[in-house]
Amino acid sequence: MNIHDQTITMLRNYFQSFGENPAKAKIVTRAIYKEHITDFSQITTLSATIRQKLAEDFSFTNLTLITKSETQDTSKYLFGLADGHTIETVLMKHNYGNGVCISTQVGCNMNCVFCESGKLKKVRNLETHEMVQQLLYIRDVLQIPVSHVVLMGIGEPFDNYDNTMAFIDIVTEQAGIDIATRHVTISTSGITPRIIEYANRPVLNSLAISLHAPNDELRNQLMPINKAYPLAPLIEAAKLYTQKSGKKITFAYIMIKDLNDTPDCARQLATLLKDINCYVNLIPYNKTRSTHYEPSSWERIHEFWALLKENGIKVTVRREFGGDMNAACGQLSSDYKGEI
Ligand code: SAH
């Protein structure tokens, strides 16, 4: 077992399983995530016997950095995993802090027609420690402070539910990495049963749904997941989240030329979302290598934005990060073919 798989609750259970005081879980968590130890022998507040047992039961490995590319406000990292697969992580420098965009799977099964990551096919889920270490590498190895986490890299977080939940518990734990709950955003293509399950958790992070179409006919074409989980129940699940969390939900809507950017689409979207406490985030489509779609013109985006606003929908247009270096949303594809 890797130590970065362990939530504080798991560590409490671990200590209890051999009759030790569960409060030691906090000591271990603090040592790893606040004091940045990388070897149990460094936790001198624990007895030698306990340190020895921890070292027998848990390993500390890290990701291997293969390459990185950087522009002024975005860096993209390609990491190697223990089994030879690769994943990508993006660091975005905002004026309010640094955000890390985490991948949750090797490849992705969602097959959204416009998305580069979806062309990869899912190979496997990431283990919790592989998600935690994407953040730790940036925070501890590169020594760059991280204030925000978005689960918007490669993969569908709700198709890797349990590991994603453990990841969230680890990064928000106050005795540990301690990122504010609202500064962690899960983005999902809309796996409705998992949204409902998530909405019933006691503590809720920020949630975004990749919507991209205002009706089932168009969404079925763009996002095959919509055939399994169509819009009406998806919107109900989104409402449940807003009620349980008291927070707004974000709907991401990429603007693809002549496909989902017409005034009619804007009106339909306003009707679909009229009773829900939400933001719409309009994202200019990023042209990718293997898709033939084009971004909407700024005039179209502005018109769409204005129509939503007129209809009482809170709407913003996202500034794109990393578009010039294939590090933008949906352009992560981890297409590295070299040797690790
Ligand atoms: N599977 C999750 C997490 C991935 S987030 C989800 O779908 O939400 C990545 C976001 O980028 C998603 O909203 C996705 O729809 C969007 N995206 C994919 N390709 C894109 C592109 N070429 N330009 C802009 N956004 C894109």
Side-chain angles (χ1 to χ4, degrees):
M1 266 297 218
N2 195 291
I3 192 63
H4 300 130
D5 285 317
Q6 301 292 308
T7 64
I8 199 162
T9 310
M10 290 173 185
L11 282 173
R12 279 196 195 102
N13 294 339
Y14 164 78
F15 280 112
Q16 259 168 338
S17 72
F18 55 96
E20 272 298 331
N21 185 348
K24 290 194 167 61
K26 200 165 180 175
I27 298 177
V28 172
T29 301
R30 293 193 72 86
I32 296 168
Y33 296 113
K34 297 238 189 264
E35 290 144 35
H36 307 195
I37 64 122
T38 51
D39 183 332
F40 292 113
S41 67
Q42 296 168 294
I43 316 181
T44 48
T45 44
L46 295 176
S47 71
T49 328
I50 299 273
R51 283 184 264 153
Q52 178 69 33
K53 175 150 177 62
L54 282 165
E56 279 163 16
D57 292 338
F58 299 109
S59 62
F60 274 99
T61 56
N62 215 335
L63 304 174
T64 320
L65 180 65
I66 300 175
T67 55
K68 94 177 165 182
S69 44
E70 276 180 317
T71 61
Q72 204 175 359
D73 54 14
T74 311
S75 308
K76 180 170 76 166
Y77 304 94
L78 180 74
F79 290 115
L81 306 174
D83 63 0
H85 291 298
T86 57
I87 48 168
E88 291 185 354
T89 306
V90 177
L91 170 70
M92 295 160 292
K93 295 186 177 140
H94 305 279
N95 48 15
Y96 52 80
N98 296 329
V100 174
C101 180
I102 302 279
S103 291
T104 55
Q105 297 179 317
V106 179
C108 182
N109 259 357
M110 297 300 115
N111 253 311
C112 301
V113 295
F114 47 79
C115 181
E116 200 68 26
S117 306
K119 306 270 175 289
L120 297 167
K121 292 273 164 279
K122 177 171 133 186
V123 176
R124 67 170 174 86
N125 284 333
L126 291 188
E127 299 292 330
T128 305
H129 68 267
E130 292 167 328
M131 294 188 243
V132 172
Q133 288 168 3
Q134 293 174 57
L135 190 157
L136 284 187
Y137 196 99
I138 291 170
R139 193 195 72 160
D140 295 354
V141 181
L142 306 175
Q143 308 246 316
I144 301 170
V146 174
S147 58
H148 290 67
V149 170
V150 294
L151 292 164
M152 298 187 187
I154 298 173
E156 167 51 50
F158 281 169
D159 186 36
N160 185 11
Y161 188 81
D162 293 343
N163 293 346
T164 297
M165 293 305 113
F167 167 81
I168 284 166
D169 289 346
I170 291 169
V171 298
T172 56
E173 169 54 48
Q174 289 182 4
I177 298 176
D178 196 18
I179 308 252
T181 307
R182 67 183 186 288
H183 289 176
V184 176
T185 304
I186 305 174
S187 181
T188 178
S189 56
I191 304 191
T192 305
R194 293 288 91 73
I195 297 173
I196 295 169
E197 189 176 351
Y198 177 70
N200 284 300
R201 286 193 111 213
V203 180
L204 293 173
N205 308 89
S206 302
L207 183 64
I209 294 181
S210 299
L211 200 61
H212 308 337
N215 60 58
D216 282 321
E217 197 193 342
L218 184 55
R219 200 164 190 267
N220 285 345
Q221 282 172 35
L222 299 181
M223 304 176 71
I225 187 73
N226 195 69
K227 293 177 193 154
Y229 304 116
L231 279 172
L234 174 63
I235 299 297
E236 282 312 305
K239 259 185 211 164
L240 178 72
Y241 165 85
T242 62
Q243 286 154 1
K244 294 269 188 181
S245 67
K247 296 181 214 274
K248 291 190 173 51
I249 193 163
T250 300
F251 291 104
Y253 195 101
I254 53 178
M255 302 287 299
I256 308 176
K257 188 177 179 185
D258 299 333
L259 193 62
N260 65 353
D261 65 349
T262 60
D264 191 38
C265 281
R267 284 186 207 100
Q268 286 182 39
L269 188 61
T271 307
L272 183 71
L273 303 181
K274 70 177 182 328
D275 294 328
I276 176 162
N277 186 21
C278 67
Y279 291 110
V280 172
N281 198 351
L282 299 178
I283 303 160
Y285 181 70
N286 265 298
K287 224 176 140 43
T288 68
R289 275 164 294 200
S290 56
T291 57
H292 56 275
Y293 301 106
E294 296 288 334
S296 305
S297 65
W298 281 108
E299 293 71 36
R300 263 291 163 88
I301 295 174
H302 184 263
E303 188 182 8
F304 202 95
W305 171 85
L307 272 169
L308 289 180
K309 222 170 147 61
E310 263 167 40
N311 283 281
I313 307 283
K314 294 189 178 61
V315 53
T316 51
V317 179
R318 188 202 281 173
R319 167 181 164 230
E320 252 327 318
F321 271 93
D324 50 347
M325 55 181 278
N326 292 343
C329 288
Q331 279 183 265
L332 300 182
S333 65
S334 195
D335 59 354
Y336 178 77
K337 297 281 185 294
E339 293 292 317
I340 296 178

